[in-house]
Amino acid sequence: MLRRLTPVLLTLVVVALGITALAARPDDGGPRRSADFVVLVGAAGLRWDDVDPQNTPTLWRMAEQGAIGSLSVRSAHRPTCPVDGWLTLGAGNFAAWNGSRPGGGCPATGVTVEQPDGIGANLPDQQGVVAHNQEKLAWGAVPGALAESVRCSVAVGPGAAVAAARPFGRVDRYEPALPEDPAELLGSCVLSIVDVGMVDDDDPAVRAAQARQADARLARVLAARPPRSLVLVAGVSDTDTPARLHVAVADGPGWDGGWLTSPSTARAGYLQLVDLAPTALAALGRPMPERLFLGRPAVTVDDRPDDLREAITAPADADREAAAQRRVAGWFFTLLAAAQTALAVAVLPLLRRARRLAGPHGPEPVSKRVVAVVELLLVAAALAVPAALLADAVPWWRGTHAGWWFASVTALLIVGGTAVVRFAPGHDRTLGPLGAVAGLATLVVGVDVLTGSRLQLNGVVGYSALEGGRYAGLGTVGLGVFIAGSLLCGGWLAQRVRRTWRPPVMVAVAGTAVVIVGSPYLGADSIGAIALTAGVSVAAAICGGGWLTVSRLAWATMAGLAVTIGFALVDLGRPAAERGSLGRFLAALGDGTGGLTVHRSSTSNFQTLVNSPLTVLALAGAALVWLALLQPWGGLMRLFGIYPAIRAAMAGTGVAAGLGGVLGGSALDVAGAAGALVVPMAALAALRVLDHSTDRTQPDSGRPGGEGGATGSGGPAPSGGGPDRAVHPAGDAERAGTPGRSGDADGAGPGRAERPGSADSAGPASERSAGVRVPAQSGPASTEVPAG
C-alpha cells in the first residue's frame, strides 16, 4: 500500500515546495501619494561619472539630500537614442521612434514641433509613431500614456515635447527653452517635463562643459519648483553605442536619502526608464493604466553610505563593470563553445578504445596518462562557467586590459577547482568527479543567490543591467548550472542509499533547489521554478530504477501543472501592481492582450537561438550524447544501467533545462549552460564505466579454438560449465542484479544482499559484472548470470 502511495506523496511534496517558494513575495512598501506636483528633468547621456561637486554643484547637492540610483535606459531600440528615451519615458513602456536608422545608430534629424497657438504644441509625426509601436513592435507601447493620465502637462524643450505629447500629438503647454524664471510655468500643471540638454561628447573637456550647462538649467528648475513637489532627474538615454547606465535622482517629500529601486528591478540602487512614468503618477496619487505601463513605481531603500562620494562610486563602478561585461562575455562563451566542442571530438577515440576486451585480439588500450589528462580537461571544462561566475568577486573590470584580467582570474579558479576535484576523497571511483563537480557548481551558484546574487549582476556569465532583462535573482546561465548541479547532486546522493530511499532523497535535494529558484527573496524565477519542478518529478519517478512509464510521466506532468496552476491562482489574487510575470500574463489573456507576451517570447526565443554561443554548446552536447555516448560503445547506457539515479538526474536536467529556456524566452541558453556541466561529466563517467567493464575471464584450454567468449572479445567463456548469465553490453543493471531488484546496482549479482551505500562504493567489480555476454554451455538457449 505504501509503495503505491509513494508517487502520490512525492508529487504532493514537490507541489507544496514549489507553491511555497512562489507564493511568498517580499513587501515592497508600495508607494503612496507624496507630492502635489512632479517635475521630470531629463538630460540625455548624463552619467554618474559626469557628477562632481565642482562642475555640477546643483546635482551634487540634490543627490546628497535625495535618493539616487543607476538608471537603465532600455527602450524598444538598441541603442536607446534620445528620441527613443523621451518616447519611452512618456509611454511607461519600451517604445521607439519610427523612421530610418542609418547603420543601426540614431537618426540625425530632430523632431518636428509645431506651435499653432503659442500655448501648446503639436507633433505631426505622433500618430505614425503610435501606429509604429502598436503594429510593428512587440511591446504594445502607447506613446503619450503618461500625459493621458493627467489633466494637464507642461513640456520644456523638444525632447520633453516627445514625452509629453498625447497619442494624437497635442502638448498641453510648451516652451522651446527654459525661461529665466519658470515658476509660473512649472506651477501651471501637476506634471512638468523639462529637457535640460544633452551630454554626448567623448572629449572630457567638452563633456564637462555640457554637464555644467545642464546643471545650471537644473538650478533654475529647483529654484522655481512648486511647493510639495517631487523632482526626478534622469539621464534619459544613450547618445551612442555601447549602452551605459545613467543618473537617477529623486528629491522631494518622502524621498530623503537612500537608494532608488522598484519592483521591476528588485535590486537596490537600480531603476528602469519605464519606471519613471508610474513613479510620477504614484507620487501624485493618480490611477495608473496598468495595461499600458510596463514599469513599476519607484521606492527608496536604506543602507546608502552617508558620504555621497562613496555612494556614487558604486553606480559608477557598476557602469564600468557592465560595459566591460558586454565586451568580454561574447568571446568567453565563444571560446567555451569551441573548447567543449573540440574536447568532445577528442573524447571519441578514447570511448572507442576505453573498454579493454579480453583475449589476444582486443585493441591496444589508451595510455593511462592520456586518459588522466583527458579526465582533468573534462573536469576543467565542466567548471568553466562556475569559475567565471566566481571571478566576478575580483574587480577585474577596473584594469586597463579587462579581458585579460578576467581570463587570468578565471583560469586560476579553473585550475584550483580542478585540483580540488582531483584530490577530493573518492576521486578514483566512477562517480567521484561527477559528484565533486556538481557539488562545487551548486555551491558557487547557491551561495551567490543566498547572498543577494551579487556575482551575477553585470557578471560575464550573469546578466547585464544594460540589457534590462533582469536585475536580481538567477540569470539564464546561472539557472542552467543550478538545475544541472542540484539534480546531479541529488542523483549522486540518491545512488548511495537503498533503492526505496532514492526518490525521497532526490525530492529533498532538488526540491530545496526549487525553493531557492522560485523564492522572490532569492532566485526570483517563477518560470525556472516551474520547469525545475517538472525535472524533479521526472527524476524522482525513475531514480529507483526502470524507465519513464506512462504512469510516472503522468505524475511528473501533474506535479508541474499543479505548481503552475497553484501559483497562478495565488498570483491572480494579488493586487495588479503586486503580481508576478505569470499573474500578469494570465490577466493579459483575460483582457485579450496576452498575444503580445506570446509574441515577445517567441521573438526572443528565435533571436537567442540564432545569435547565442550557448546554442552551439547545447547542440554540440546533444550531438555527443546522441551520436556517441548513447551508442553501444559509448558507455552511457551502461552507466545508466548501473547507476539509475544518475540516469534520472540527467533526464530531469534535460526536461527542466528545455522547459526553462523555451518558456523563459531564452531558447537553448539554459540547456547550453546545463550541458556545459553535464556533458563533460557524462563523458568522464562513461570512460570510467567502460574501463571498469573489462572481461577478466581466463581462456578455457579444453575448448578448441577459444570460441564462445564474450561478445566482441575474441576470448573464451569461463570454465566450469553450467548456465552462465551475462548482461547486454548496454549495461542494463536491472538484469545484472538479483532477480526482482529492478534498476538496483548495489547488488552485484545473485546471492549478494543489497546494502546501504552506492554502487560506486562497490568498486569496479560491480561494473565488470554488468558487462559480459556469455553463451550457454549447452542447450538451445542461453541464460544470463554475472560473469566472473
Side-chain angles (χ1 to χ4, degrees):
M1 182 67 178
L2 181 61
R3 184 176 181 181
R4 292 181 179 179
L5 290 177
T6 297
V8 181
L9 296 175
L10 290 177
T11 302
L12 292 176
V13 170
V14 173
V15 170
L17 288 172
I19 296 179
T20 299
L22 294 169
R25 299 192 68 83
D27 182 13
D28 57 12
R32 301 290 185 268
R33 176 174 178 175
S34 61
D36 296 331
F37 298 87
V38 171
V39 181
L40 290 170
V41 181
L46 182 65
R47 304 194 299 259
W48 278 112
D49 52 15
D50 298 318
V51 180
D52 64 67
Q54 289 76 36
N55 195 56
T56 56
T58 304
L59 186 56
W60 185 270
R61 287 193 300 270
M62 184 181 175
E64 280 185 319
Q65 63 189 25
I68 66 173
S70 295
L71 184 69
S72 172
V73 295
R74 178 187 177 188
S75 69
H77 180 257
R78 303 291 176 87
T80 296
C81 300
V83 67
D84 302 317
W86 287 109
L87 198 68
T88 297
L89 171 62
N93 198 342
F94 301 129
W97 194 265
N98 60 341
S100 62
R101 305 277 181 165
C106 298
T109 57
V111 176
T112 302
V113 180
E114 298 175 347
Q115 290 184 272
D117 54 13
I119 298 175
N122 182 62
L123 270 63
D125 300 327
Q126 182 77 343
Q127 293 185 14
V129 173
V130 173
H132 175 72
N133 281 270
Q134 289 283 291
E135 298 171 6
K136 296 186 177 180
L137 301 182
W139 298 100
V142 179
L146 174 59
E148 284 287 274
S149 302
V150 295
R151 185 182 62 83
C152 169
S153 62
V154 171
V156 179
V162 173
R166 297 178 183 270
F168 53 87
R170 175 67 180 178
V171 180
D172 298 331
R173 294 201 63 178
Y174 176 70
E175 290 291 340
L178 186 69
E180 287 299 323
D181 183 8
E184 181 182 354
L185 181 65
L186 298 179
S188 61
C189 295
V190 294
L191 175 66
S192 299
I193 305 175
V194 181
D195 181 356
V196 294
M198 187 180 301
V199 184
D200 64 344
D201 204 282
D202 292 332
D203 182 83
V206 177
R207 188 175 185 89
Q210 292 174 332
R212 185 164 56 251
Q213 188 177 38
D215 188 76
R217 292 169 180 161
L218 174 62
R220 300 213 304 269
V221 171
L222 293 180
R225 63 189 294 183
R228 282 188 51 80
S229 61
L230 168 64
V231 178
L232 291 168
V233 178
V236 294
S237 74
D238 296 311
T239 54
D240 200 355
T241 54
R244 303 290 295 270
L245 294 173
H246 297 274
V247 166
V249 182
D251 179 41
W255 302 85
D256 303 325
W259 294 109
L260 285 172
T261 186
S262 86
S264 73
T265 64
R267 172 79 69 172
Y270 285 86
L271 202 66
Q272 293 193 83
L273 182 60
V274 294
D275 296 328
L276 297 184
T279 300
L281 292 184
L284 292 171
R286 303 299 174 91
M288 278 174 249
E290 291 291 344
R291 192 170 61 87
L292 301 181
F293 281 0
L294 198 64
R296 302 291 188 87
V299 294
T300 61
V301 295
D302 296 329
D303 298 331
R304 192 186 105 182
D306 294 332
D307 183 11
L308 180 61
R309 194 178 298 276
E310 180 184 352
I312 67 173
T313 298
D317 195 43
D319 180 35
R320 287 193 294 270
E321 182 183 4
Q325 183 255 19
R326 173 172 293 186
R327 297 193 302 268
V328 174
W331 65 255
F332 170 78
F333 284 111
T334 301
L335 289 178
L336 179 63
Q340 290 218 3
T341 302
L343 192 57
V345 174
V347 165
L348 295 180
L350 271 68
L351 289 170
R352 283 286 192 178
R353 301 172 61 184
R355 185 181 178 193
R356 295 169 292 161
L357 304 177
H361 304 296
E364 186 70 21
V366 179
S367 167
K368 286 288 188 182
R369 291 184 177 180
V370 173
V371 174
V373 170
V374 171
E375 287 189 352
L376 290 178
L377 291 175
L378 289 170
V379 170
L383 290 175
V385 175
L389 178 63
L390 195 58
D392 277 284
V394 178
W396 53 268
W397 57 89
R398 296 177 186 169
T400 305
H401 304 287
W404 288 107
W405 281 109
F406 171 79
S408 301
V409 174
T410 303
L412 287 175
L413 289 172
I414 291 175
V415 171
T418 304
V420 169
V421 174
R422 173 62 183 84
F423 296 106
H427 174 266
D428 293 336
R429 296 176 179 176
T430 302
L431 299 183
L434 183 147
V437 168
L440 283 176
T442 307
L443 182 66
V444 169
V445 179
V447 170
D448 179 44
V449 172
L450 293 174
T451 56
S453 302
R454 299 179 185 275
L455 299 180
Q456 296 198 58
L457 177 65
N458 298 324
V460 171
V461 297
Y463 39 79
S464 172
L466 300 177
E467 297 297 326
R470 175 173 283 270
Y471 300 83
L474 268 173
T476 298
V477 178
L479 176 63
V481 173
F482 196 63
I483 285 174
S486 59
L487 283 170
L488 286 180
C489 282
W492 182 78
L493 290 172
Q495 190 61 50
R496 303 178 67 85
V497 301
R498 291 180 180 273
R499 181 168 60 89
T500 54
W501 284 97
R502 288 173 186 167
V505 168
M506 181 68 77
V507 168
V509 176
T512 303
V514 171
V515 174
I516 293 174
V517 171
S519 171
Y521 299 91
L522 301 173
D525 190 344
S526 57
I527 299 299
I530 292 170
L532 184 53
T533 298
V536 173
S537 302
V538 168
I542 62 176
C543 66
W547 295 100
L548 191 61
T549 61
V550 174
S551 61
R552 289 174 170 180
L553 181 61
W555 283 112
T557 304
M558 288 172 59
L561 288 176
V563 171
T564 305
I565 295 171
F567 173 60
L569 294 176
V570 172
D571 208 21
L572 279 173
R574 298 190 179 102
E578 299 178 10
R579 288 174 185 158
S581 58
L582 184 59
R584 292 198 301 272
F585 172 65
L586 293 177
L589 286 179
D591 62 24
T593 60
L596 287 173
T597 303
V598 175
H599 177 56
R600 287 198 298 266
S601 179
S602 60
T603 301
S604 177
N605 274 317
F606 177 76
Q607 292 176 347
T608 304
L609 185 67
V610 298
N611 295 324
S612 175
L614 286 170
T615 300
V616 179
L617 267 176
L619 296 178
L624 177 66
V625 170
W626 183 257
L627 300 177
L629 296 181
L630 286 176
Q631 298 303 309
W633 49 269
L636 196 56
M637 291 301 293
R638 183 182 300 277
L639 178 75
F640 287 169
I642 299 172
Y643 305 107
I646 299 301
R647 176 192 63 183
M650 292 186 180
T653 299
V655 170
L659 287 176
V662 173
L663 297 180
S666 55
L668 296 179
D669 276 9
V670 177
L677 178 69
V678 172
V679 175
M681 289 299 94
L684 191 154
L687 282 171
R688 290 195 167 188
V689 165
L690 290 173
D691 179 66
H692 293 167
S693 66
T694 306
D695 181 358
R696 301 183 185 278
T697 55
Q698 299 296 321
D700 184 1
S701 58
R703 300 187 61 190
E707 301 288 341
T711 302
S713 68
S719 60
D724 290 339
R725 181 177 183 269
V727 184
H728 189 277
D732 187 356
E734 296 174 20
R735 289 179 288 174
T738 305
R741 290 183 183 170
S742 173
D744 184 62
D746 291 6
R752 179 176 176 178
E754 185 185 50
R755 59 184 178 83
S758 67
D760 201 26
S761 64
S766 65
E767 295 163 19
R768 290 196 298 270
S769 69
V772 184
R773 176 177 291 277
V774 183
Q777 299 288 338
S778 60
S782 65
T783 56
E784 295 180 346
V785 296

